[in-house]
Amino acid sequence: MDPLELNAAATPTQLGGYLSDLPQPPTVHHHGPARNVRTDLYQGHRIVVTTTYEITVDGMPVPAHVGVDNNGRVHCHALPAYHFLSAVDTVRTLIDNYPDEYPAPPDSPGNRPPAGDGGHHHGGG
């Protein structure tokens, strides 16, 4: 875009009209699938990509808001200093950073007795 086009697009009327036409984020947060809307202008075309993420850990919904920027990087409000290449990596980092929110399930490898001893330990040699 040349400087004259940029200047014309940045007038309060033009910019205000463009911004008011963009999808507006919800004013209240709700639990459930996270909806993400990305927009772009390309060769005079307005592109809108809407994605919905329904993320669970151990069958429980993850209440963290996850979004994707126009370069495909995933971000999460609970991890503001991070950008990820995938939503799965985002959830893994949530589990690592918030272990109290995601306790290990009772049958996870760290909570099982060693194989072959049935969980019984006897004294002696």
Side-chain angles (χ1 to χ4, degrees), residues 60-112:
M60 299 298 296
V62 173
H65 177 75
V66 173
V68 179
D69 68 16
N70 284 357
N71 293 316
R73 292 180 306 233
V74 181
H75 58 273
C76 177
H77 290 181
L79 302 164
Y82 293 84
H83 278 101
F84 303 93
L85 297 178
S86 77
V88 171
D89 287 341
T90 305
V91 177
R92 288 175 177 166
T93 304
L94 280 170
I95 292 169
D96 291 343
N97 282 276
Y98 298 96
D100 292 342
E101 298 292 322
Y102 303 99
D107 63 345
S108 70
N111 291 335
R112 291 188 204 138

Tab-separated table of all heavy atoms in Angstrom, residues 60-112:
chain	number	residue	atom	x	y	z
A	60	MET	N	-12.749	-33.367	30.849
A	60	MET	CA	-13.238	-32.116	31.420
A	60	MET	C	-12.865	-30.951	30.499
A	60	MET	O	-11.751	-30.887	30.000
A	60	MET	CB	-12.620	-31.883	32.810
A	60	MET	CG	-12.973	-32.963	33.817
A	60	MET	SD	-14.745	-33.086	34.146
A	60	MET	CE	-15.052	-31.506	34.891
A	61	PRO	N	-13.791	-30.014	30.287
A	61	PRO	CA	-13.485	-28.880	29.419
A	61	PRO	C	-12.364	-28.020	29.991
A	61	PRO	O	-12.270	-27.825	31.203
A	61	PRO	CB	-14.786	-28.077	29.367
A	61	PRO	CG	-15.793	-28.840	30.116
A	61	PRO	CD	-15.137	-29.980	30.814
A	62	VAL	N	-11.520	-27.517	29.128
A	62	VAL	CA	-10.455	-26.591	29.513
A	62	VAL	C	-11.021	-25.189	29.355
A	62	VAL	O	-11.375	-24.785	28.238
A	62	VAL	CB	-9.212	-26.791	28.620
A	62	VAL	CG1	-8.165	-25.724	28.894
A	62	VAL	CG2	-8.635	-28.187	28.836
A	63	PRO	N	-11.127	-24.422	30.450
A	63	PRO	CA	-11.755	-23.106	30.363
A	63	PRO	C	-10.843	-22.015	29.805
A	63	PRO	O	-11.269	-20.890	29.643
A	63	PRO	CB	-12.135	-22.812	31.811
A	63	PRO	CG	-11.146	-23.554	32.622
A	63	PRO	CD	-10.819	-24.791	31.828
A	64	ALA	N	-9.599	-22.311	29.490
A	64	ALA	CA	-8.669	-21.302	28.985
A	64	ALA	C	-9.033	-20.899	27.562
A	64	ALA	O	-9.340	-21.749	26.731
A	64	ALA	CB	-7.241	-21.837	29.033
A	65	HIS	N	-8.980	-19.610	27.282
A	65	HIS	CA	-9.267	-19.110	25.939
A	65	HIS	C	-8.047	-19.309	25.054
A	65	HIS	O	-6.952	-18.881	25.388
A	65	HIS	CB	-9.647	-17.636	25.988
A	65	HIS	CG	-9.874	-17.055	24.631
A	65	HIS	ND1	-11.013	-17.314	23.912
A	65	HIS	CD2	-9.095	-16.285	23.853
A	65	HIS	CE1	-10.932	-16.695	22.733
A	65	HIS	NE2	-9.768	-16.067	22.675
A	66	VAL	N	-8.232	-19.982	23.933
A	66	VAL	CA	-7.161	-20.256	22.987
A	66	VAL	C	-7.501	-19.544	21.678
A	66	VAL	O	-8.636	-19.587	21.221
A	66	VAL	CB	-7.024	-21.775	22.746
A	66	VAL	CG1	-6.043	-22.072	21.643
A	66	VAL	CG2	-6.617	-22.480	24.022
A	67	GLY	N	-6.505	-18.888	21.088
A	67	GLY	CA	-6.714	-18.200	19.824
A	67	GLY	C	-5.564	-18.459	18.877
A	67	GLY	O	-4.514	-18.964	19.267
A	68	VAL	N	-5.766	-18.110	17.612
A	68	VAL	CA	-4.754	-18.302	16.582
A	68	VAL	C	-4.611	-16.985	15.827
A	68	VAL	O	-5.612	-16.374	15.453
A	68	VAL	CB	-5.160	-19.424	15.603
A	68	VAL	CG1	-4.116	-19.616	14.521
A	68	VAL	CG2	-5.401	-20.725	16.348
A	69	ASP	N	-3.359	-16.544	15.609
A	69	ASP	CA	-3.160	-15.323	14.841
A	69	ASP	C	-3.081	-15.644	13.348
A	69	ASP	O	-3.155	-16.805	12.945
A	69	ASP	CB	-1.940	-14.536	15.340
A	69	ASP	CG	-0.608	-15.219	15.070
A	69	ASP	OD1	-0.534	-16.156	14.248
A	69	ASP	OD2	0.392	-14.799	15.690
A	70	ASN	N	-2.950	-14.620	12.533
A	70	ASN	CA	-2.947	-14.821	11.075
A	70	ASN	C	-1.730	-15.575	10.571
A	70	ASN	O	-1.698	-16.020	9.431
A	70	ASN	CB	-3.063	-13.477	10.358
A	70	ASN	CG	-4.473	-12.932	10.407
A	70	ASN	OD1	-5.379	-13.572	10.926
A	70	ASN	ND2	-4.660	-11.741	9.880
A	71	ASN	N	-0.714	-15.746	11.414
A	71	ASN	CA	0.462	-16.531	11.038
A	71	ASN	C	0.356	-17.976	11.520
A	71	ASN	O	1.289	-18.747	11.361
A	71	ASN	CB	1.734	-15.884	11.594
A	71	ASN	CG	2.006	-14.555	10.940
A	71	ASN	OD1	1.888	-14.418	9.730
A	71	ASN	ND2	2.348	-13.565	11.740
A	72	GLY	N	-0.776	-18.333	12.133
A	72	GLY	CA	-0.986	-19.701	12.583
A	72	GLY	C	-0.442	-19.994	13.975
A	72	GLY	O	-0.508	-21.126	14.431
A	73	ARG	N	0.103	-18.988	14.661
A	73	ARG	CA	0.616	-19.210	16.018
A	73	ARG	C	-0.544	-19.231	16.995
A	73	ARG	O	-1.440	-18.390	16.942
A	73	ARG	CB	1.604	-18.107	16.406
A	73	ARG	CG	2.898	-18.161	15.614
A	73	ARG	CD	3.818	-17.049	16.046
A	73	ARG	NE	3.119	-15.769	15.941
A	73	ARG	CZ	3.573	-14.719	15.276
A	73	ARG	NH1	4.727	-14.762	14.674
A	73	ARG	NH2	2.869	-13.600	15.231
A	74	VAL	N	-0.504	-20.196	17.905
A	74	VAL	CA	-1.553	-20.361	18.909
A	74	VAL	C	-1.130	-19.613	20.164
A	74	VAL	O	0.028	-19.647	20.565
A	74	VAL	CB	-1.770	-21.861	19.220
A	74	VAL	CG1	-2.883	-22.052	20.241
A	74	VAL	CG2	-2.087	-22.634	17.939
A	75	HIS	N	-2.081	-18.927	20.792
A	75	HIS	CA	-1.815	-18.253	22.059
A	75	HIS	C	-2.949	-18.562	23.028
A	75	HIS	O	-4.025	-19.000	22.630
A	75	HIS	CB	-1.650	-16.742	21.862
A	75	HIS	CG	-2.848	-16.096	21.225
A	75	HIS	ND1	-2.994	-16.018	19.863
A	75	HIS	CD2	-3.946	-15.534	21.759
A	75	HIS	CE1	-4.136	-15.429	19.588
A	75	HIS	NE2	-4.740	-15.125	20.716
A	76	CYS	N	-2.676	-18.340	24.300
A	76	CYS	CA	-3.636	-18.650	25.345
A	76	CYS	C	-3.555	-17.551	26.396
A	76	CYS	O	-2.464	-17.188	26.836
A	76	CYS	CB	-3.291	-20.017	25.948
A	76	CYS	SG	-4.335	-20.503	27.318
A	77	HIS	N	-4.696	-17.034	26.825
A	77	HIS	CA	-4.706	-15.964	27.813
A	77	HIS	C	-4.049	-16.385	29.120
A	77	HIS	O	-3.454	-15.551	29.812
A	77	HIS	CB	-6.133	-15.502	28.081
A	77	HIS	CG	-6.729	-14.772	26.921
A	77	HIS	ND1	-7.994	-14.256	26.940
A	77	HIS	CD2	-6.236	-14.456	25.692
A	77	HIS	CE1	-8.254	-13.664	25.799
A	77	HIS	NE2	-7.209	-13.783	25.021
A	78	ALA	N	-4.119	-17.653	29.476
A	78	ALA	CA	-3.512	-18.137	30.725
A	78	ALA	C	-1.995	-18.237	30.622
A	78	ALA	O	-1.316	-18.378	31.641
A	78	ALA	CB	-4.101	-19.492	31.111
A	79	LEU	N	-1.450	-18.164	29.408
A	79	LEU	CA	-0.007	-18.255	29.170
A	79	LEU	C	0.419	-17.100	28.263
A	79	LEU	O	0.831	-17.308	27.125
A	79	LEU	CB	0.332	-19.601	28.510
A	79	LEU	CG	-0.075	-20.851	29.273
A	79	LEU	CD1	-0.046	-22.073	28.366
A	79	LEU	CD2	0.839	-21.043	30.471
A	80	PRO	N	0.332	-15.852	28.742
A	80	PRO	CA	0.515	-14.709	27.857
A	80	PRO	C	1.912	-14.561	27.266
A	80	PRO	O	2.066	-13.907	26.238
A	80	PRO	CB	0.179	-13.512	28.751
A	80	PRO	CG	0.388	-13.992	30.136
A	80	PRO	CD	0.056	-15.458	30.117
A	81	ALA	N	2.921	-15.149	27.853
A	81	ALA	CA	4.290	-15.000	27.344
A	81	ALA	C	4.647	-16.054	26.302
A	81	ALA	O	5.768	-16.071	25.812
A	81	ALA	CB	5.282	-15.066	28.502
A	82	TYR	N	3.723	-16.933	25.954
A	82	TYR	CA	4.005	-18.040	25.057
A	82	TYR	C	3.260	-17.890	23.733
A	82	TYR	O	2.159	-17.351	23.688
A	82	TYR	CB	3.540	-19.373	25.665
A	82	TYR	CG	4.281	-19.826	26.886
A	82	TYR	CD1	3.937	-19.358	28.149
A	82	TYR	CD2	5.299	-20.765	26.789
A	82	TYR	CE1	4.606	-19.802	29.275
A	82	TYR	CE2	5.966	-21.215	27.910
A	82	TYR	CZ	5.614	-20.725	29.155
A	82	TYR	OH	6.264	-21.181	30.265
A	83	HIS	N	3.842	-18.439	22.667
A	83	HIS	CA	3.179	-18.698	21.397
A	83	HIS	C	3.517	-20.133	21.027
A	83	HIS	O	4.622	-20.598	21.275
A	83	HIS	CB	3.668	-17.756	20.292
A	83	HIS	CG	2.995	-16.442	20.320
A	83	HIS	ND1	3.586	-15.329	20.851
A	83	HIS	CD2	1.778	-16.060	19.902
A	83	HIS	CE1	2.759	-14.313	20.748
A	83	HIS	NE2	1.654	-14.724	20.185
A	84	PHE	N	2.569	-20.840	20.448
A	84	PHE	CA	2.734	-22.257	20.156
A	84	PHE	C	2.484	-22.526	18.688
A	84	PHE	O	1.820	-21.758	18.004
A	84	PHE	CB	1.756	-23.084	21.002
A	84	PHE	CG	1.907	-22.852	22.471
A	84	PHE	CD1	1.142	-21.895	23.118
A	84	PHE	CD2	2.825	-23.580	23.209
A	84	PHE	CE1	1.286	-21.671	24.471
A	84	PHE	CE2	2.974	-23.359	24.564
A	84	PHE	CZ	2.205	-22.398	25.196
A	85	LEU	N	2.989	-23.678	18.238
A	85	LEU	CA	2.747	-24.102	16.863
A	85	LEU	C	1.502	-24.962	16.752
A	85	LEU	O	1.033	-25.219	15.643
A	85	LEU	CB	3.967	-24.860	16.327
A	85	LEU	CG	5.242	-24.027	16.252
A	85	LEU	CD1	6.405	-24.883	15.753
A	85	LEU	CD2	5.051	-22.820	15.349
A	86	SER	N	0.953	-25.426	17.893
A	86	SER	CA	-0.258	-26.239	17.854
A	86	SER	C	-1.061	-26.053	19.130
A	86	SER	O	-0.520	-25.690	20.176
A	86	SER	CB	0.084	-27.725	17.684
A	86	SER	OG	0.533	-28.283	18.903
A	87	ALA	N	-2.360	-26.333	19.035
A	87	ALA	CA	-3.231	-26.273	20.209
A	87	ALA	C	-2.857	-27.372	21.207
A	87	ALA	O	-2.956	-27.177	22.418
A	87	ALA	CB	-4.699	-26.400	19.788
A	88	VAL	N	-2.401	-28.522	20.714
A	88	VAL	CA	-1.990	-29.610	21.607
A	88	VAL	C	-0.800	-29.166	22.460
A	88	VAL	O	-0.772	-29.404	23.672
A	88	VAL	CB	-1.669	-30.892	20.807
A	88	VAL	CG1	-1.034	-31.952	21.689
A	88	VAL	CG2	-2.931	-31.435	20.159
A	89	ASP	N	0.187	-28.507	21.839
A	89	ASP	CA	1.323	-27.994	22.618
A	89	ASP	C	0.865	-26.978	23.653
A	89	ASP	O	1.405	-26.908	24.759
A	89	ASP	CB	2.366	-27.354	21.700
A	89	ASP	CG	3.146	-28.373	20.891
A	89	ASP	OD1	3.168	-29.562	21.270
A	89	ASP	OD2	3.739	-27.975	19.870
A	90	THR	N	-0.135	-26.176	23.321
A	90	THR	CA	-0.678	-25.202	24.267
A	90	THR	C	-1.244	-25.909	25.493
A	90	THR	O	-0.957	-25.530	26.632
A	90	THR	CB	-1.775	-24.360	23.587
A	90	THR	OG1	-1.246	-23.767	22.411
A	90	THR	CG2	-2.309	-23.292	24.519
A	91	VAL	N	-2.046	-26.948	25.278
A	91	VAL	CA	-2.665	-27.665	26.394
A	91	VAL	C	-1.605	-28.398	27.213
A	91	VAL	O	-1.674	-28.435	28.445
A	91	VAL	CB	-3.769	-28.618	25.902
A	91	VAL	CG1	-4.364	-29.413	27.052
A	91	VAL	CG2	-4.860	-27.822	25.177
A	92	ARG	N	-0.594	-28.953	26.567
A	92	ARG	CA	0.503	-29.599	27.307
A	92	ARG	C	1.169	-28.594	28.244
A	92	ARG	O	1.490	-28.916	29.388
A	92	ARG	CB	1.533	-30.171	26.339
A	92	ARG	CG	1.047	-31.401	25.596
A	92	ARG	CD	2.065	-31.848	24.572
A	92	ARG	NE	1.627	-33.064	23.903
A	92	ARG	CZ	2.159	-33.523	22.801
A	92	ARG	NH1	3.157	-32.871	22.207
A	92	ARG	NH2	1.711	-34.648	22.264
A	93	THR	N	1.379	-27.373	27.763
A	93	THR	CA	2.021	-26.351	28.588
A	93	THR	C	1.086	-25.892	29.706
A	93	THR	O	1.544	-25.598	30.819
A	93	THR	CB	2.479	-25.169	27.706
A	93	THR	OG1	3.345	-25.680	26.689
A	93	THR	CG2	3.239	-24.134	28.518
A	94	LEU	N	-0.213	-25.836	29.451
A	94	LEU	CA	-1.163	-25.540	30.526
A	94	LEU	C	-1.056	-26.585	31.638
A	94	LEU	O	-1.025	-26.247	32.824
A	94	LEU	CB	-2.601	-25.512	29.990
A	94	LEU	CG	-3.047	-24.260	29.274
A	94	LEU	CD1	-4.390	-24.503	28.591
A	94	LEU	CD2	-3.141	-23.091	30.236
A	95	ILE	N	-1.009	-27.857	31.257
A	95	ILE	CA	-0.896	-28.941	32.241
A	95	ILE	C	0.403	-28.801	33.025
A	95	ILE	O	0.413	-28.939	34.256
A	95	ILE	CB	-0.996	-30.317	31.544
A	95	ILE	CG1	-2.412	-30.528	31.008
A	95	ILE	CG2	-0.595	-31.445	32.499
A	95	ILE	CD1	-2.555	-31.723	30.082
A	96	ASP	N	1.505	-28.495	32.341
A	96	ASP	CA	2.800	-28.329	33.016
A	96	ASP	C	2.814	-27.136	33.964
A	96	ASP	O	3.403	-27.193	35.038
A	96	ASP	CB	3.924	-28.152	31.992
A	96	ASP	CG	4.215	-29.418	31.202
A	96	ASP	OD1	3.795	-30.516	31.639
A	96	ASP	OD2	4.857	-29.300	30.137
A	97	ASN	N	2.167	-26.026	33.573
A	97	ASN	CA	2.210	-24.806	34.367
A	97	ASN	C	1.132	-24.719	35.435
A	97	ASN	O	1.254	-23.909	36.352
A	97	ASN	CB	2.122	-23.581	33.449
A	97	ASN	CG	3.436	-23.294	32.777
A	97	ASN	OD1	4.296	-22.642	33.343
A	97	ASN	ND2	3.617	-23.808	31.574
A	98	TYR	N	0.082	-25.491	35.310
A	98	TYR	CA	-1.015	-25.483	36.274
A	98	TYR	C	-1.319	-26.906	36.741
A	98	TYR	O	-2.423	-27.413	36.543
A	98	TYR	CB	-2.260	-24.844	35.658
A	98	TYR	CG	-2.059	-23.397	35.265
A	98	TYR	CD1	-1.734	-23.039	33.963
A	98	TYR	CD2	-2.179	-22.384	36.220
A	98	TYR	CE1	-1.529	-21.713	33.614
A	98	TYR	CE2	-1.977	-21.056	35.875
A	98	TYR	CZ	-1.659	-20.725	34.570
A	98	TYR	OH	-1.459	-19.414	34.226
A	99	PRO	N	-0.349	-27.579	37.384
A	99	PRO	CA	-0.551	-28.980	37.762
A	99	PRO	C	-1.702	-29.181	38.751
A	99	PRO	O	-2.323	-30.240	38.751
A	99	PRO	CB	0.792	-29.389	38.366
A	99	PRO	CG	1.435	-28.115	38.779
A	99	PRO	CD	0.955	-27.077	37.807
A	100	ASP	N	-2.001	-28.186	39.575
A	100	ASP	CA	-3.117	-28.329	40.516
A	100	ASP	C	-4.466	-28.343	39.796
A	100	ASP	O	-5.435	-28.912	40.294
A	100	ASP	CB	-3.107	-27.212	41.550
A	100	ASP	CG	-1.911	-27.305	42.496
A	100	ASP	OD1	-1.301	-28.392	42.581
A	100	ASP	OD2	-1.585	-26.285	43.133
A	101	GLU	N	-4.516	-27.722	38.627
A	101	GLU	CA	-5.747	-27.707	37.834
A	101	GLU	C	-5.931	-29.013	37.059
A	101	GLU	O	-7.028	-29.335	36.631
A	101	GLU	CB	-5.733	-26.536	36.847
A	101	GLU	CG	-5.684	-25.181	37.500
A	101	GLU	CD	-6.968	-24.845	38.243
A	101	GLU	OE1	-8.059	-25.201	37.743
A	101	GLU	OE2	-6.866	-24.235	39.313
A	102	TYR	N	-4.818	-29.725	36.844
A	102	TYR	CA	-4.839	-30.950	36.042
A	102	TYR	C	-4.122	-32.068	36.792
A	102	TYR	O	-3.033	-32.491	36.403
A	102	TYR	CB	-4.158	-30.701	34.682
A	102	TYR	CG	-4.794	-29.566	33.920
A	102	TYR	CD1	-4.235	-28.289	33.932
A	102	TYR	CD2	-5.972	-29.763	33.209
A	102	TYR	CE1	-4.829	-27.240	33.243
A	102	TYR	CE2	-6.569	-28.717	32.515
A	102	TYR	CZ	-5.989	-27.464	32.540
A	102	TYR	OH	-6.579	-26.429	31.860
A	103	PRO	N	-4.708	-32.565	37.890
A	103	PRO	CA	-4.040	-33.650	38.620
A	103	PRO	C	-3.971	-34.921	37.776
A	103	PRO	O	-4.812	-35.145	36.909
A	103	PRO	CB	-4.931	-33.855	39.841
A	103	PRO	CG	-6.261	-33.287	39.470
A	103	PRO	CD	-5.999	-32.203	38.449
A	104	ALA	N	-2.944	-35.708	38.037
A	104	ALA	CA	-2.778	-36.958	37.298
A	104	ALA	C	-3.956	-37.883	37.581
A	104	ALA	O	-4.380	-38.028	38.720
A	104	ALA	CB	-1.471	-37.634	37.699
A	105	PRO	N	-4.502	-38.512	36.542
A	105	PRO	CA	-5.603	-39.459	36.756
A	105	PRO	C	-5.109	-40.644	37.591
A	105	PRO	O	-3.921	-40.984	37.564
A	105	PRO	CB	-5.992	-39.912	35.359
A	105	PRO	CG	-5.206	-39.114	34.396
A	105	PRO	CD	-4.161	-38.361	35.132
A	106	PRO	N	-6.009	-41.292	38.339
A	106	PRO	CA	-5.613	-42.402	39.208
A	106	PRO	C	-4.898	-43.530	38.483
A	106	PRO	O	-4.057	-44.200	39.053
A	106	PRO	CB	-6.931	-42.905	39.796
A	106	PRO	CG	-7.927	-41.842	39.549
A	106	PRO	CD	-7.425	-41.010	38.405
A	107	ASP	N	-5.179	-43.746	37.208
A	107	ASP	CA	-4.554	-44.863	36.490
A	107	ASP	C	-3.376	-44.417	35.627
A	107	ASP	O	-2.925	-45.159	34.770
A	107	ASP	CB	-5.583	-45.595	35.642
A	107	ASP	CG	-6.173	-44.711	34.555
A	107	ASP	OD1	-6.006	-43.474	34.624
A	107	ASP	OD2	-6.797	-45.259	33.636
A	108	SER	N	-2.846	-43.193	35.855
A	108	SER	CA	-1.702	-42.752	35.064
A	108	SER	C	-0.455	-43.501	35.511
A	108	SER	O	-0.386	-43.999	36.631
A	108	SER	CB	-1.502	-41.243	35.188
A	108	SER	OG	-1.051	-40.913	36.484
A	109	PRO	N	0.561	-43.599	34.654
A	109	PRO	CA	1.761	-44.382	34.977
A	109	PRO	C	2.416	-43.978	36.297
A	109	PRO	O	2.907	-44.820	37.021
A	109	PRO	CB	2.697	-44.107	33.796
A	109	PRO	CG	1.781	-43.774	32.670
A	109	PRO	CD	0.605	-43.069	33.301
A	110	GLY	N	2.388	-42.717	36.662
A	110	GLY	CA	3.010	-42.275	37.910
A	110	GLY	C	2.249	-42.701	39.153
A	110	GLY	O	2.775	-42.647	40.261
A	111	ASN	N	1.004	-43.136	38.989
A	111	ASN	CA	0.186	-43.536	40.137
A	111	ASN	C	-0.043	-45.040	40.212
A	111	ASN	O	-0.800	-45.503	41.038
A	111	ASN	CB	-1.174	-42.825	40.078
A	111	ASN	CG	-1.048	-41.345	40.336
A	111	ASN	OD1	-0.100	-40.899	40.983
A	111	ASN	ND2	-1.973	-40.572	39.827
A	112	ARG	N	0.593	-45.808	39.346
A	112	ARG	CA	0.417	-47.268	39.349
A	112	ARG	C	1.545	-47.924	40.134
A	112	ARG	O	2.679	-47.465	40.103
A	112	ARG	CB	0.447	-47.809	37.924
A	112	ARG	CG	-0.729	-47.424	37.103
A	112	ARG	CD	-0.706	-48.159	35.773
A	112	ARG	NE	-1.482	-47.395	34.810
A	112	ARG	CZ	-1.130	-47.188	33.566
A	112	ARG	NH1	-0.019	-47.694	33.093
A	112	ARG	NH2	-1.879	-46.489	32.758
